[in-house]
PDB file of all heavy atoms in Angstrom:
ATOM      1  N   PRO A  78      53.346  66.983  80.083  1.00 54.00           N
ATOM      2  CA  PRO A  78      53.436  67.307  78.679  1.00 54.00           C
ATOM      3  C   PRO A  78      54.852  67.640  78.280  1.00 54.00           C
ATOM      4  O   PRO A  78      55.674  68.038  79.128  1.00 54.00           O
ATOM      5  CB  PRO A  78      52.511  68.504  78.521  1.00 54.00           C
ATOM      6  CG  PRO A  78      52.532  69.145  79.865  1.00 54.00           C
ATOM      7  CD  PRO A  78      52.659  68.019  80.838  1.00 54.00           C
ATOM      8  N   THR A  79      55.157  67.518  77.021  1.00 64.00           N
ATOM      9  CA  THR A  79      56.473  67.889  76.532  1.00 64.00           C
ATOM     10  C   THR A  79      56.729  69.371  76.772  1.00 64.00           C
ATOM     11  O   THR A  79      57.789  69.789  77.185  1.00 64.00           O
ATOM     12  CB  THR A  79      56.605  67.554  75.042  1.00 64.00           C
ATOM     13  OG1 THR A  79      56.346  66.172  74.862  1.00 64.00           O
ATOM     14  CG2 THR A  79      58.004  67.866  74.541  1.00 64.00           C
ATOM     15  N   SER A  80      55.728  70.176  76.469  1.00 74.00           N
ATOM     16  CA  SER A  80      55.767  71.620  76.694  1.00 74.00           C
ATOM     17  C   SER A  80      54.447  72.042  77.325  1.00 74.00           C
ATOM     18  O   SER A  80      53.440  71.325  77.194  1.00 74.00           O
ATOM     19  CB  SER A  80      55.992  72.372  75.380  1.00 74.00           C
ATOM     20  OG  SER A  80      57.132  71.927  74.723  1.00 74.00           O
ATOM     21  N   VAL A 155      55.652  80.412  78.554  1.00 85.00           N
ATOM     22  CA  VAL A 155      55.751  79.211  77.727  1.00 85.00           C
ATOM     23  C   VAL A 155      57.011  78.447  78.130  1.00 85.00           C
ATOM     24  O   VAL A 155      58.105  79.027  78.124  1.00 85.00           O
ATOM     25  CB  VAL A 155      55.795  79.565  76.236  1.00 85.00           C
ATOM     26  CG1 VAL A 155      55.859  78.301  75.375  1.00 85.00           C
ATOM     27  CG2 VAL A 155      54.586  80.425  75.834  1.00 85.00           C
ATOM     28  N   LEU A 156      56.847  77.184  78.490  1.00 79.00           N
ATOM     29  CA  LEU A 156      58.002  76.361  78.844  1.00 79.00           C
ATOM     30  C   LEU A 156      58.193  75.247  77.828  1.00 79.00           C
ATOM     31  O   LEU A 156      57.258  74.497  77.524  1.00 79.00           O
ATOM     32  CB  LEU A 156      57.851  75.741  80.240  1.00 79.00           C
ATOM     33  CG  LEU A 156      58.210  76.720  81.362  1.00 79.00           C
ATOM     34  CD1 LEU A 156      56.959  77.415  81.847  1.00 79.00           C
ATOM     35  CD2 LEU A 156      58.914  75.999  82.485  1.00 79.00           C
ATOM     36  N   THR A 157      59.394  75.135  77.281  1.00 80.00           N
ATOM     37  CA  THR A 157      59.721  74.113  76.303  1.00 80.00           C
ATOM     38  C   THR A 157      61.023  73.418  76.715  1.00 80.00           C
ATOM     39  O   THR A 157      61.938  74.067  77.245  1.00 80.00           O
ATOM     40  CB  THR A 157      59.886  74.695  74.890  1.00 80.00           C
ATOM     41  OG1 THR A 157      60.856  75.767  74.933  1.00 80.00           O
ATOM     42  CG2 THR A 157      58.566  75.259  74.369  1.00 80.00           C
ATOM     43  N   PRO A 158      61.132  72.089  76.499  1.00 73.00           N
ATOM     44  CA  PRO A 158      62.334  71.373  76.920  1.00 73.00           C
ATOM     45  C   PRO A 158      63.482  71.574  75.944  1.00 73.00           C
ATOM     46  O   PRO A 158      63.271  71.922  74.776  1.00 73.00           O
ATOM     47  CB  PRO A 158      61.857  69.907  76.924  1.00 73.00           C
ATOM     48  CG  PRO A 158      60.815  69.863  75.864  1.00 73.00           C
ATOM     49  CD  PRO A 158      60.134  71.190  75.907  1.00 73.00           C
ATOM     50  N   GLY A 159      64.686  71.370  76.449  1.00 70.00           N
ATOM     51  CA  GLY A 159      65.864  71.448  75.593  1.00 70.00           C
ATOM     52  C   GLY A 159      66.984  70.637  76.205  1.00 70.00           C
ATOM     53  O   GLY A 159      66.861  70.123  77.326  1.00 70.00           O
ATOM     54  N   SER A 160      68.099  70.581  75.536  1.00 66.00           N
ATOM     55  CA  SER A 160      69.203  69.754  76.015  1.00 66.00           C
ATOM     56  C   SER A 160      69.780  70.279  77.326  1.00 66.00           C
ATOM     57  O   SER A 160      70.280  69.503  78.156  1.00 66.00           O
ATOM     58  CB  SER A 160      70.308  69.706  74.950  1.00 66.00           C
ATOM     59  OG  SER A 160      70.753  71.016  74.641  1.00 66.00           O
ATOM     60  N   GLY A 161      69.699  71.588  77.563  1.00 68.00           N
ATOM     61  CA  GLY A 161      70.251  72.146  78.778  1.00 68.00           C
ATOM     62  C   GLY A 161      69.212  72.389  79.854  1.00 68.00           C
ATOM     63  O   GLY A 161      69.541  72.981  80.894  1.00 68.00           O
ATOM     64  N   GLY A 162      67.973  72.034  79.635  1.00 71.00           N
ATOM     65  CA  GLY A 162      66.909  72.268  80.581  1.00 71.00           C
ATOM     66  C   GLY A 162      65.688  72.832  79.890  1.00 71.00           C
ATOM     67  O   GLY A 162      65.529  72.712  78.664  1.00 71.00           O
ATOM     68  N   SER A 163      64.830  73.479  80.648  1.00 75.00           N
ATOM     69  CA  SER A 163      63.593  74.041  80.096  1.00 75.00           C
ATOM     70  C   SER A 163      63.795  75.517  79.778  1.00 75.00           C
ATOM     71  O   SER A 163      64.284  76.274  80.620  1.00 75.00           O
ATOM     72  CB  SER A 163      62.439  73.899  81.083  1.00 75.00           C
ATOM     73  OG  SER A 163      62.180  72.554  81.354  1.00 75.00           O
ATOM     74  N   THR A 164      63.383  75.915  78.593  1.00 81.00           N
ATOM     75  CA  THR A 164      63.424  77.337  78.241  1.00 81.00           C
ATOM     76  C   THR A 164      62.097  77.986  78.611  1.00 81.00           C
ATOM     77  O   THR A 164      61.022  77.520  78.188  1.00 81.00           O
ATOM     78  CB  THR A 164      63.679  77.519  76.747  1.00 81.00           C
ATOM     79  OG1 THR A 164      64.959  76.977  76.417  1.00 81.00           O
ATOM     80  CG2 THR A 164      63.638  79.017  76.361  1.00 81.00           C
ATOM     81  N   ALA A 165      62.162  79.039  79.411  1.00 80.00           N
ATOM     82  CA  ALA A 165      60.971  79.777  79.808  1.00 80.00           C
ATOM     83  C   ALA A 165      60.924  81.071  79.027  1.00 80.00           C
ATOM     84  O   ALA A 165      61.861  81.875  79.049  1.00 80.00           O
ATOM     85  CB  ALA A 165      61.021  80.095  81.301  1.00 80.00           C
ATOM     86  N   THR A 177      64.713  82.606  79.356  1.00 78.00           N
ATOM     87  CA  THR A 177      65.805  82.141  80.177  1.00 78.00           C
ATOM     88  C   THR A 177      65.723  80.616  80.213  1.00 78.00           C
ATOM     89  O   THR A 177      64.681  80.019  79.888  1.00 78.00           O
ATOM     90  CB  THR A 177      65.732  82.723  81.593  1.00 78.00           C
ATOM     91  OG1 THR A 177      66.960  82.431  82.291  1.00 78.00           O
ATOM     92  CG2 THR A 177      64.566  82.155  82.370  1.00 78.00           C
ATOM     93  N   VAL A 178      66.809  79.984  80.633  1.00 77.00           N
ATOM     94  CA  VAL A 178      66.870  78.524  80.701  1.00 77.00           C
ATOM     95  C   VAL A 178      66.896  78.086  82.154  1.00 77.00           C
ATOM     96  O   VAL A 178      67.723  78.547  82.948  1.00 77.00           O
ATOM     97  CB  VAL A 178      68.085  77.985  79.946  1.00 77.00           C
ATOM     98  CG1 VAL A 178      68.182  76.459  80.120  1.00 77.00           C
ATOM     99  CG2 VAL A 178      68.015  78.323  78.483  1.00 77.00           C
ATOM    100  N   PHE A 179      65.966  77.192  82.528  1.00 68.00           N
ATOM    101  CA  PHE A 179      65.992  76.543  83.822  1.00 68.00           C
ATOM    102  C   PHE A 179      66.756  75.206  83.623  1.00 68.00           C
ATOM    103  O   PHE A 179      66.327  74.357  82.832  1.00 68.00           O
ATOM    104  CB  PHE A 179      64.594  76.223  84.334  1.00 68.00           C
ATOM    105  CG  PHE A 179      63.754  77.458  84.599  1.00 68.00           C
ATOM    106  CD1 PHE A 179      62.389  77.412  84.465  1.00 68.00           C
ATOM    107  CD2 PHE A 179      64.357  78.653  84.973  1.00 68.00           C
ATOM    108  CE1 PHE A 179      61.604  78.532  84.721  1.00 68.00           C
ATOM    109  CE2 PHE A 179      63.605  79.784  85.223  1.00 68.00           C
ATOM    110  CZ  PHE A 179      62.225  79.733  85.095  1.00 68.00           C
ATOM    111  N   THR A 180      67.864  75.049  84.322  1.00 65.00           N
ATOM    112  CA  THR A 180      68.751  73.914  84.062  1.00 65.00           C
ATOM    113  C   THR A 180      68.082  72.588  84.394  1.00 65.00           C
ATOM    114  O   THR A 180      68.350  71.555  83.767  1.00 65.00           O
ATOM    115  CB  THR A 180      70.060  74.042  84.827  1.00 65.00           C
ATOM    116  OG1 THR A 180      69.772  74.254  86.211  1.00 65.00           O
ATOM    117  CG2 THR A 180      70.862  75.222  84.291  1.00 65.00           C
ATOM    118  N   ASN A 181      67.222  72.556  85.408  1.00 56.00           N
ATOM    119  CA  ASN A 181      66.414  71.380  85.634  1.00 56.00           C
ATOM    120  C   ASN A 181      65.223  71.417  84.666  1.00 56.00           C
ATOM    121  O   ASN A 181      64.845  72.479  84.194  1.00 56.00           O
ATOM    122  CB  ASN A 181      65.913  71.304  87.088  1.00 56.00           C
ATOM    123  CG  ASN A 181      67.023  71.049  88.064  1.00 56.00           C
ATOM    124  OD1 ASN A 181      67.984  70.364  87.725  1.00 56.00           O
ATOM    125  ND2 ASN A 181      66.922  71.608  89.244  1.00 56.00           N
ATOM    126  N   ASN A 182      64.652  70.279  84.409  1.00 50.00           N
ATOM    127  CA  ASN A 182      63.574  70.214  83.413  1.00 50.00           C
ATOM    128  C   ASN A 182      62.236  70.527  84.071  1.00 50.00           C
ATOM    129  O   ASN A 182      61.570  69.664  84.616  1.00 50.00           O
ATOM    130  CB  ASN A 182      63.542  68.819  82.764  1.00 50.00           C
ATOM    131  CG  ASN A 182      62.521  68.756  81.634  1.00 50.00           C
ATOM    132  OD1 ASN A 182      61.916  69.767  81.299  1.00 50.00           O
ATOM    133  ND2 ASN A 182      62.385  67.585  81.057  1.00 50.00           N
ATOM    134  N   GLN A 183      61.851  71.813  83.990  1.00 47.00           N
ATOM    135  CA  GLN A 183      60.600  72.228  84.645  1.00 47.00           C
ATOM    136  C   GLN A 183      59.354  71.691  83.960  1.00 47.00           C
ATOM    137  O   GLN A 183      58.262  71.835  84.480  1.00 47.00           O
ATOM    138  CB  GLN A 183      60.519  73.761  84.692  1.00 47.00           C
ATOM    139  CG  GLN A 183      60.904  74.348  86.053  1.00 47.00           C
ATOM    140  CD  GLN A 183      62.388  74.221  86.342  1.00 47.00           C
ATOM    141  OE1 GLN A 183      63.193  73.985  85.471  1.00 47.00           O
ATOM    142  NE2 GLN A 183      62.762  74.349  87.623  1.00 47.00           N
ATOM    143  N   THR A 184      59.484  71.094  82.802  1.00 47.00           N
ATOM    144  CA  THR A 184      58.310  70.522  82.136  1.00 47.00           C
ATOM    145  C   THR A 184      58.152  69.046  82.438  1.00 47.00           C
ATOM    146  O   THR A 184      57.255  68.378  81.919  1.00 47.00           O
ATOM    147  CB  THR A 184      58.405  70.683  80.610  1.00 47.00           C
ATOM    148  OG1 THR A 184      59.510  69.895  80.119  1.00 47.00           O
ATOM    149  CG2 THR A 184      58.577  72.135  80.227  1.00 47.00           C
ATOM    150  N   ALA A 185      59.026  68.481  83.312  1.00 47.00           N
ATOM    151  CA  ALA A 185      59.029  67.046  83.533  1.00 47.00           C
ATOM    152  C   ALA A 185      57.717  66.536  84.120  1.00 47.00           C
ATOM    153  O   ALA A 185      56.997  65.744  83.498  1.00 47.00           O
ATOM    154  CB  ALA A 185      60.203  66.645  84.423  1.00 47.00           C
TER     155      ALA A 185
END
Side-chain angles (χ1 to χ4, degrees):
T79 304
S80 304
V155 181
L156 279 94
T157 54
S160 57
S163 299
T164 298
T177 190
V178 176
F179 297 150
T180 54
N181 292 327
N182 185 5
Q183 260 70 18
T184 66

